[in-house]
RNA sequence: GGAGAGAUGUCCGAGUGGUUUAUGGAGCUGGUCUUGAAAACCAGUGACACCGCAAGGUGCCGGGGGUUCGAAUCCCUCUCUCUCCGCCA
């Protein structure tokens, strides 16, 4: 593979890149990069001259041989040249590998509309929908509600597997299944997304393509004895569907919706959200993925975010949308809106979806292009994705927001057709 | 898991060591014809990446390595696809 990322851009706009990365509060050794880049080009031009010579003289040798003339002197000389070429080629390879290592650790450049900031405290609330309900009693956390109703069983999952796993039982399992069916149907039939059902394991290249590797290997589950990783999100297989492809302009935009289980090691999250459904090693998610022309991608991000919000609106769950500041932005993203649902037991909004425009960052790494018009040069597409939405957290939000004083939970109306018309989960 | 066959540019498909600087189609662009379109015919174009201000140069025939003065072509290796056998939800 070894697709060189946009070395040219960094070379010609080093200050701009430096400034953009500073926004993220990330250290990147650009000077080393620029020096290596310089070195690469100088060796390259040297070796290319030698190769030119080799090509020319080889023709000459062929001609001499045809005429039955002596070519021994030229052949001897070319043996030397070939040796040198081999050495220089090795050196170029070495330098390129180093360059690539650096490039793969450089995060995306934040979009100009993204605010500066130091932490998630500096994210900007864009809008809110719905009003958190007034409870006439002390609202309980979803894990208590779920366990009391016999629909969530954390203890048994801990016995069978370990911490951060859950058994859903009875109407709990039904609720989970109803939710992802509802979400996929909504996006596929009302928002124009084509449904896909992806593999749950991908190889290393795909993880590099969407930016999970090489920087975040400890966050992923690796399948022993293989080079496969359990997907942390359907974004990985779905975005990589079009890797190393040149799409026709009229294929764009491409919209996909995918339900999948997601697997995350949650390294570094020890002690955070240890109870309940909020942070699990395995959870279900419905993911929206778009491939668009560069000039359309920001408009498409707004639409994608609205599509995700629709899920929460139709379920009657109060939420807010916030724009992440540069310091809180994910590695691959140029701009991200988080959807946060109201969680009564937390007394605050909790992330339930993250909608991002990656611009051409993933497209470069995965080599996804399109041809703007006949005989035009292929360009990188822009990729976007967002959760539409995280299913486990939606279950948590429904249990908490729709809980009743007697411990039962009312099912949102829109969901009832998927629940066999069950209106309420009782003991 | 075993045996065999394959992988060539946007697509289809030739090419088994030296004028292949990769045949030929399709496609695309322009034209002729037509009220317009299609079809047909004529001409043009001919993938992609890198270096270079440019002229130009280099690389690339699934990935990686090797042999050779010279590799799409020979050798090794990996991946994937197809056919048959075995196993299997």
């Amino acid at each position: 593979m070894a697709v060189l990322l946009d070395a040219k851009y960094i070379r010609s706009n080093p200050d701009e890149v430096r400034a953009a990365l500073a926004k993220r509060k990330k250290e990147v050794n650009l000077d080393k990069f620029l020096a290596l880049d310089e070195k690469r080009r100088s060796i390259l031009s040297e070796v290319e001259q030698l190769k030119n010579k080799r090509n020319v003289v080889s023709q000459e040798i062929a001609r001499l041989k045809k005429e039955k003339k002596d070519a021994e002197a030229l052949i001897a000389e070319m043996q030397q040249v070939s040796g040198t070429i081999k050495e220089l080629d090795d050196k170029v390879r070495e330098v390129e590998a180093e360059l690539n290592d650096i490039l793969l650790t450089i995060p995306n450049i934040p979009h100009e509309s993204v605010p500066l900031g130091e932490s998630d405290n500096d994210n900007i609330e864009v809008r809110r929908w719905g009003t958190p309900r007034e409870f006439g009693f002390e609202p309980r956390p979803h894990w208590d509600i779920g366990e009391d109703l016999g629909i969530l069983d954390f203890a048994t999952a801990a016995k069978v597997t370990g911490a951060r796993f859950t058994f859903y039982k009875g109407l709990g399992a039904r609720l989970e299944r109803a939710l992802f069916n509802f979400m996929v149907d909504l996006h596929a039939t009302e928002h124009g997304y084509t449904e896909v059902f992806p593999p749950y394991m991908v190889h290393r290249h795909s993880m590099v393509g969407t930016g999970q590797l090489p920087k975040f290997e400890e966050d992923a589950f690796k399948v022993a004895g293989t080079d496969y990783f359990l997907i942390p999100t359907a974004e990985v297989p779905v975005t990589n569907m079009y890797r190393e492809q040149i799409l026709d302009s009229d294929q764009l935009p491409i919209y996909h919706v995918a339900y999948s289980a997601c697997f995350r090691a949650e390294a570094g999250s020890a002690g955070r959200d240890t109870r309940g459904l909020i942070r699990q090693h395995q959870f279900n998610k419905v993911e929206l993925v778009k491939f668009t022309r560069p000039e359309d991608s920001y408009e498409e991000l707004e639409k994608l975010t609205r599509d995700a919000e629709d899920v929460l609106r139709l379920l009657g769950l109060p939420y807010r949308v916030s724009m992440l500041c540069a310091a809180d932005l994910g590695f691959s993203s140029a701009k991200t809106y988080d959807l946060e649902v109201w969680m009564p037991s937390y007394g605050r909004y909790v992330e339930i979806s993250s909608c991002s425009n990656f611009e051409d960052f993933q497209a470069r790494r995965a080599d996804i292009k399109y041809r703007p018009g006949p005989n035009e040069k292929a360009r990188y597409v822009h990729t976007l994705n967002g959760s539409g939405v995280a299913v486990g957290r939606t279950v948590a939000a429904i249990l908490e927001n729709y809980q009743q004083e007697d411990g039962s939970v009312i099912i949102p109306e829109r969901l009832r057709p998927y629940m066999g018309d069950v209106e309420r989960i009782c003991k």
Side-chain angles (χ1 to χ4, degrees), chain A residues 53-201:
Chain A
K53 183 173 182 184
R54 181 178 69 184
N55 289 343
V56 170
V57 176
S58 288
Q59 292 293 321
E60 178 70 6
I61 291 172
R63 195 179 58 77
L64 287 175
K65 288 207 160 183
K66 209 173 223 169
E67 297 172 4
K68 307 268 186 235
K69 288 183 184 161
D70 178 43
E72 287 311 309
L74 282 179
I75 289 178
E77 188 193 343
M78 283 305 102
Q79 272 170 343
Q80 290 273 330
V81 171
S82 274
T84 311
I85 287 174
K86 200 163 288 181
E87 279 171 37
L88 291 177
D89 267 346
D90 286 347
K91 222 182 275 180
V92 170
R93 236 194 307 273
E94 228 172 80
V95 173
E96 283 187 346
E98 271 185 84
L99 274 172
N100 227 9
D101 282 351
I102 296 177
L103 278 168
L104 285 173
T105 63
I106 298 179
N108 203 354
I109 293 172
H111 186 252
E112 58 191 13
S113 64
V114 170
L116 291 167
E118 300 293 325
S119 73
D120 57 1
N121 292 322
D122 300 312
N123 296 343
I124 291 177
E125 182 175 310
V126 178
R127 58 183 168 268
R128 268 179 204 230
W129 182 90
T131 312
R133 178 180 146 205
E134 296 284 344
F135 288 90
F137 56 95
E138 185 64 28
R140 296 189 300 152
H142 65 272
W143 53 87
D144 284 346
I145 302 167
E147 283 178 327
D148 283 355
L149 289 172
I151 60 174
L152 294 180
D153 186 344
F154 302 99
T156 301
K159 179 177 72 179
V160 171
T161 305
R164 295 193 189 280
F165 288 90
T166 309
F167 273 98
Y168 291 76
K169 298 192 295 192
L171 286 175
R174 182 80 188 252
L175 177 59
E176 178 88 5
R177 183 161 57 91
L179 276 170
F180 59 69
N181 282 330
F182 159 67
M183 291 177 196
V184 171
D185 284 351
L186 175 69
H187 298 305
T189 64
E190 290 179 35
H191 297 151
Y193 293 75
T194 303
E195 183 175 356
V196 294
F197 186 68
Y200 283 6
M201 297 182 207

Side-chain angles (χ1 to χ4, degrees), chain A residues 23-68:
Chain A
K23 276 183 162 186
R24 280 181 176 266
K25 312 290 168 197
K26 292 275 167 14
E27 292 289 323
V28 174
N29 194 343
L30 270 196
D31 290 326
K32 186 179 178 197
F33 174 83
L34 292 168
L36 281 169
D37 181 56
E38 181 68 41
K39 188 174 171 189
R40 169 175 172 272
R41 282 179 295 145
S42 91
I43 303 173
L44 203 56
S45 73
E46 190 184 346
V47 72
E48 287 187 354
Q49 272 179 37
L50 286 175
K51 283 179 179 173
N52 177 237
K53 183 173 182 184
R54 181 178 69 184
N55 289 343
V56 170
V57 176
S58 288
Q59 292 293 321
E60 178 70 6
I61 291 172
R63 195 179 58 77
L64 287 175
K65 288 207 160 183
K66 209 173 223 169
E67 297 172 4
K68 307 268 186 235

